[in-house]
Amino acid sequence: KAGVTQTPRYLIKTRGQQVTLSCSPISGHRSVSWYQQTPGQGLQFLFEYFSETQRNKGNFPGRFSGRQFSNSRSEMNVSTLELGDSALYLCASSLALTSTDTQYFGPGTRLTVL
Amino acid sequence: AQSVTQLDSHVSVSEGTPVLLRCNYSSSYSPSLFWYVQHPNKGLQLLLKYTSAATLVKGINGFEAEFKKSETSFHLTKPSAHMSDAAEYFCVVNPSSGSARQLTFGSGTQLTVLP
């Protein structure tokens, strides 16, 4: 079974631009979560989607948004990019929303903002 | 509220010697606990998870962890380190109650394995 895939793997943008990252979950998984990883802040939760609905959101500004499609694929968007948005963005999928469900991570998208 | 503290940011061991990566947690509910490993330029891979069944949890690649509620700890161990174990390890907590299902990550422990 294929794992979680994320595209693109690497991205370079300039300040003020916007960016869209894509995540395809493991087949049959309905929950997709997004995380930001930076050297200074570590891994931080962005948001979680289940059945096309945002179920939970971390403490990030409104410039960070996401959505989930009927096939469970998810996208996240960051508008008006700032230098501090440079990070590895990780997507994780799981079967459902229970706390015991394992979240399986993709390889991440490395975003660099110049 | 929940939190995770990984007590060592860096651990260095010789190949063939035991590994101990320490993790303490705080959670308002009986949590689910996980250890993930991240190799350079890769995503996170699940090593093992605790979900209120057996307190001693066995994972992949010879790793295991013991849940100790009285000490609020979930330390990761391996009897004999291998060069391929060199990576960053994250202890993670997930509350088992309420709608706030989100992973809280520790700050990570970088494991170096010396030949």
Side-chain angles (χ1 to χ4, degrees), chain A residues 14-82:
Chain A
T14 56
R15 279 182 299 173
Q17 288 187 309
Q18 76 166 19
V19 66
T20 300
L21 312 181
S22 180
C23 171
S24 293
I26 292 171
S27 178
H29 285 194
R30 297 172 63 191
S31 170
V32 173
S33 298
W34 288 89
Y35 296 85
Q36 181 195 64
Q37 185 177 24
T38 60
Q41 300 297 317
L43 276 149
Q44 294 183 285
F45 171 77
L46 279 157
F47 27 66
E48 178 174 40
Y49 287 86
F50 183 82
S51 295
E52 301 178 66
T53 302
Q54 187 180 92
R55 301 299 178 125
N56 202 6
K57 190 178 191 313
N59 188 26
F60 278 82
R63 300 185 297 106
F64 292 81
S65 63
R67 59 178 176 169
Q68 186 180 34
F69 302 96
S70 58
N71 61 359
S72 295
R73 191 177 69 85
S74 177
E75 290 181 347
M76 68 163 281
N77 185 77
V78 187
S79 62
T80 318
L81 284 166
E82 301 177 358

Side-chain angles (χ1 to χ4, degrees), chain A residues 48 97-100 102-103, chain B residues 36 38 49 94-95 101-102:
Chain A
E48 178 174 40
L97 284 175
T98 61
S99 62
T100 57
T102 298
Q103 294 194 26
Chain B
Y36 282 86
Q38 185 177 33
K49 70 177 181 180
N94 195 16
R101 189 192 93 118
Q102 64 185 64

Side-chain angles (χ1 to χ4, degrees), chain B residues 12-30:
Chain B
S12 184
V13 301
S14 297
E15 190 175 23
T17 64
V19 175
L20 170 64
L21 305 183
R22 299 182 295 165
C23 171
N24 285 355
Y25 71 91
S26 170
S27 177
S28 302
Y29 305 99
S30 297

